[in-house]
Amino acid sequence: MGPDGVPTPSIPGDLTSGFVLAPVQNGTNSSDQYFARMALRWQPSDKFDLQLDYLHQHTAMADSQWGSAWSGGPFDSSYGALPHATVNTRPGCDHCTTDWVKEPFSDSIDLVDLVATLDVGLATISSATSYYNDNTVTVYDETGLWYGNPAANDPNSSAFLPYYPYLNYPRLTSPLRSEAGNRSFIEEVRLVSKPGTAIDYVVGLYYQRQPASVNSNQPLPGSVAYSNYIGMPNPTTHGDNIYSYNRNTVFTDKAVFGELTYHLTDNWQVTGGTRFFQQPYSSRIESYFYQCGAVCSSDQTNPLGAMTASSAVKFSNHIWKLNSSYDFTPTFKLYTTFSEGFRHGGVSGLPANGPYASPEDLQTFKPDLAKNYEVGVKGSLFDHRVSYFADVYLMNIQNFQFNSVNLSGGIPGAFNGSSARSQGLELESQIALTHQLTGSIGYAFTRSYVTETFNILDYVPFALVPSQGGTGQLAPLFGGPIPEGRELPGVSRHIVNASADYTIPANSMGTLTLHADANYRSSQASNINPGYYYYYVIPSAFLANARVSLETNTNLTYSLFVRNITNNPDFTGGVNDQEFNNPYRLRNVGRPRTVGLGFRYSFGGK
């Protein structure tokens, strides 16, 4: 790839030839992070307290961390149209990537908090004011979105889709640079009763205003020169830039809430609470398909391929909570809880007109409401040497939200399902076997699934463009209904974790601690539709870590650690087409086996 980001042709001077692969690069996903924190507290009396906190954090990452399921071999980047386009590519592996564009990322955040507390006798008034400003710059390698079916001339290799107007450009790489800003002002005022009476209460007001923006630009480096070379120049005035996307949103949350606790006896309490809220949300989106031009525009005439979408919605609702607990003994508590949760809806950002449009009912997505029922126990045994916690729960979710892409253009958006349920149990225990040896073990079982069959209908490509044969044709977004009983993605049925610590006095040197922990999770679905080309089964994972620490008598602690002892790839998801073998069949992967040394110094003495 040249200094201007244009891929180098494998045959010098022949712009219809394929890629030249760069040498393998190691350790590209290095990262740096630093932060600074300041706190200032003023307490002029025992009834008034004022604290100001400020945090700045910056993170920079040189490249994303991917694994690749590509087996290597011929890659026909022209869909069989150009004789010199095929490239013999290297295979991927669990901890290496086969994408061709680096994906650097940087994030800077500033956070300010001001908390004031005033004791007025019967109650305490508190005010929490905060403001944050978070800015990120990310480069995404969008090349994988251009893959289609196996190549026409070789069913065992893969190729790009022959999109107009890119005319089988054989060295297509597609970096997308996105700058995102997200800032928010939050104010909460609470009145909290003094403890020690039969009735405790909390009442408060909440306000949040959160404007956000995303500005993205995407080139196909070298595409204009290629079009000129084959004698089919594109009239675009934006060079190799093919796409830009600008989104501005404003979310506001206004709420009043309260909670009341009645102590029926010293051992039995009942708590009820509610929250009433109003949440306006507005969005405006502008996107441009420069090289595609009028064909890709909303009105079929704009030469820049412009599409716009704007909408505003307002949600008002209330949620409830009811909890009761009883202390049968000082070391055994039984509790039960009913609670509701609400996640706001919004504007999906899908175009309403043009070749890649979606119907009006998909322009926004609804809030989802969860109702949770839970019963549990907690306590300790054998003079607190064993502590434990156990619960069972059932959560029903209406209009559950999930992310996908629309049918007509593969444009990302948020959608609603019908109803879903998550149910399970959790067990956890900490055990002091001796004064030196302690351990913990936990287990969680979860089943999350659709409880009502639903079907989402979307426009097919160019359904609203009569000149391209469009008659408003609708088709199922996922090829058919999502049936009752379908597992929700990203949820493992079984999770087990355990840890142990053993301390050894090291005479005058200090204390030696041996630590080990392990975690297992079962497999999970990556998408709600097994027939979707993004779908694959995320395999189970077992991770184990160990650490030896020496805490000296001079405020220094030395440690030697090994993380991910078994070098498990720890897959958590995937991107791009997972259905067939291709170089952009990428997987989200965890950190490989890591061995390191740590040093810590405690100021102020023991």
Side-chain angles (χ1 to χ4, degrees):
M1 189 172 292
D4 54 358
V6 177
T8 304
S10 56
I11 300 176
D14 183 358
L15 300 190
T16 67
S17 60
F19 296 93
V20 172
L21 295 181
V24 173
Q25 300 182 50
N26 296 314
T28 62
N29 61 331
S30 62
S31 63
D32 298 293
Q33 184 178 81
Y34 67 84
F35 72 93
R37 182 176 180 269
M38 180 199 74
L40 180 64
R41 186 177 184 185
W42 182 46
Q43 193 173 15
S45 70
D46 59 357
K47 294 185 179 296
F48 182 70
D49 187 286
L50 185 67
Q51 179 159 330
L52 175 67
D53 290 277
Y54 169 73
L55 171 71
H56 174 78
Q57 180 172 300
H58 179 78
T59 302
M61 187 170 64
D63 196 6
S64 295
Q65 184 166 292
W66 296 110
S68 173
W70 170 238
S71 60
F75 173 71
D76 175 8
S77 56
S78 72
Y79 208 66
L82 301 172
H84 304 299
T86 299
V87 178
N88 287 314
T89 60
R90 293 180 288 263
C93 67
D94 286 345
H95 287 105
C96 60
T97 177
T98 48
D99 60 356
W100 294 321
V101 177
K102 286 187 177 181
E103 297 180 305
F105 165 84
S106 66
D107 175 77
S108 293
I109 184 169
D110 293 279
L111 171 64
V112 182
D113 279 317
L114 181 64
V115 179
T117 304
L118 177 64
D119 186 343
V120 294
L122 295 177
T124 300
I125 300 174
S126 64
S127 169
T129 306
S130 61
Y131 173 82
Y132 70 81
N133 188 5
D134 187 13
N135 294 284
T136 63
V137 178
T138 310
V139 174
Y140 300 96
D141 186 359
E142 300 281 86
T143 312
L145 298 179
W146 298 80
Y147 288 122
N149 297 315
N153 61 338
D154 183 357
N156 296 314
S157 76
S158 59
F160 294 116
L161 286 171
Y163 281 125
Y164 171 84
Y166 311 115
L167 306 171
N168 298 301
Y169 177 43
R171 293 180 315 286
L172 189 152
T173 57
S174 189
L176 183 145
R177 177 185 169 88
S178 180
E179 298 182 10
N182 176 18
R183 62 187 189 276
S184 185
F185 172 80
I186 302 169
E187 172 64 33
E188 181 176 288
V189 179
R190 290 186 175 216
L191 178 68
V192 182
S193 65
K194 284 292 184 68
T197 62
I199 296 178
D200 299 327
Y201 62 84
V202 177
V203 293
L205 300 171
Y206 179 87
Y207 173 81
Q208 178 183 9
R209 186 176 188 275
Q210 182 183 31
S213 63
V214 177
N215 298 288
S216 303
N217 288 283
Q218 182 178 13
L220 288 185
S223 59
V224 169
Y226 166 76
S227 298
N228 293 334
Y229 181 81
I230 64 173
M232 299 182 67
N234 191 296
T236 179
T237 59
H238 286 74
D240 287 338
N241 289 324
I242 64 163
Y243 176 68
S244 70
Y245 175 88
N246 304 293
R247 183 184 70 197
N248 291 279
T249 61
V250 178
F251 169 71
T252 305
D253 187 3
K254 306 172 186 178
V256 55
F257 59 90
E259 188 172 279
L260 184 68
T261 299
Y262 180 41
H263 300 274
L264 287 84
T265 69
D266 290 341
N267 298 332
W268 186 13
Q269 67 82 28
V270 177
T271 298
T274 186
R275 181 183 183 97
F276 290 81
F277 52 88
Q278 184 182 83
Q279 297 176 336
Y281 184 94
S282 63
S283 173
R284 177 171 176 80
I285 295 173
E286 295 179 350
S287 61
Y288 299 88
F289 293 85
Y290 297 116
Q291 291 189 16
C292 189
V295 172
C296 291
S297 67
S298 296
D299 58 9
Q300 295 291 285
T301 61
N302 188 290
L304 299 180
M307 292 196 300
T308 60
S310 61
S311 185
V313 290
K314 181 185 292 186
F315 306 103
S316 298
N317 209 330
H318 59 273
I319 55 177
W320 300 94
K321 170 188 173 182
L322 182 63
N323 167 267
S324 183
S325 64
Y326 190 86
D327 296 326
F328 285 90
T329 71
T331 60
F332 178 72
K333 180 192 293 288
L334 171 69
Y335 75 90
T336 180
T337 299
F338 165 76
S339 59
E340 292 183 316
F342 181 91
R343 181 167 51 175
H344 73 81
V347 178
S348 64
L350 300 174
N353 300 294
Y356 310 128
S358 287
E360 182 179 355
D361 64 322
L362 299 183
Q363 301 303 310
T364 59
F365 58 98
K366 302 174 185 176
D368 54 8
L369 178 66
K371 295 187 177 184
N372 179 62
Y373 308 84
E374 182 177 349
V375 177
V377 295
K378 59 178 66 176
S380 62
L381 300 168
F382 310 118
D383 197 22
H384 302 290
R385 292 177 62 185
V386 176
S387 61
Y388 60 87
F389 161 80
D391 78 337
V392 294
Y393 67 91
L394 184 151
M395 181 187 300
N396 292 322
I397 310 170
Q398 294 295 321
N399 299 319
F400 67 91
Q401 300 172 5
F402 62 93
N403 293 323
S404 189
V405 296
N406 76 344
L407 185 64
S408 59
I411 299 173
F415 299 84
N416 290 105
S418 51
S419 62
R421 174 173 294 171
S422 182
Q423 60 192 40
L425 61 88
E426 300 169 312
L427 306 171
E428 185 178 320
S429 180
Q430 290 82 39
I431 306 170
L433 296 171
T434 69
H435 291 297
Q436 294 174 275
L437 179 61
T438 60
S440 68
I441 187 168
Y443 170 73
F445 169 82
T446 306
R447 187 181 175 217
S448 297
Y449 58 98
V450 175
T451 55
E452 181 182 346
T453 299
F454 68 96
N455 193 14
I456 297 176
L457 298 179
D458 197 2
Y459 289 137
V460 301
F462 293 89
L464 298 185
V465 184
S467 63
Q468 301 292 326
T471 59
Q473 305 98 311
L474 292 168
L477 180 63
F478 298 115
I482 300 297
E484 175 186 345
R486 174 66 49 78
E487 298 283 335
L488 296 183
V491 181
S492 295
R493 284 208 178 189
H494 306 279
I495 296 178
V496 183
N497 56 74
S499 68
D501 290 273
Y502 186 72
T503 58
I504 306 171
N507 301 323
S508 60
M509 295 179 61
T511 303
L512 189 69
T513 301
L514 309 179
H515 170 85
D517 63 79
N519 173 273
Y520 167 81
R521 58 167 176 77
S522 61
S523 61
Q524 54 188 241
S526 66
N527 193 276
I528 197 170
N529 179 24
Y532 198 40
Y533 54 85
Y534 279 5
Y535 178 89
Y536 84 104
V537 175
I538 301 172
S540 61
F542 174 79
L543 302 176
N545 311 294
R547 183 179 67 248
V548 179
S549 300
L550 176 62
E551 185 177 358
T552 70
N553 297 318
T554 59
N555 302 333
L556 274 170
T557 300
Y558 306 91
S559 60
L560 169 66
F561 61 85
V562 183
R563 296 174 183 154
N564 194 4
I565 296 173
T566 61
N567 202 34
N568 191 290
D570 190 22
F571 295 123
T572 56
V575 294
N576 303 319
D577 197 327
Q578 300 290 327
E579 188 176 16
F580 73 95
N581 198 19
N582 69 84
Y584 274 81
R585 200 182 191 186
L586 302 178
R587 309 284 168 83
N588 300 102
V589 65
R591 184 182 291 274
R593 182 188 298 115
T594 305
V595 180
L597 295 172
F599 304 93
R600 186 181 67 189
Y601 183 81
S602 299
F603 294 91
K606 294 284 186 181

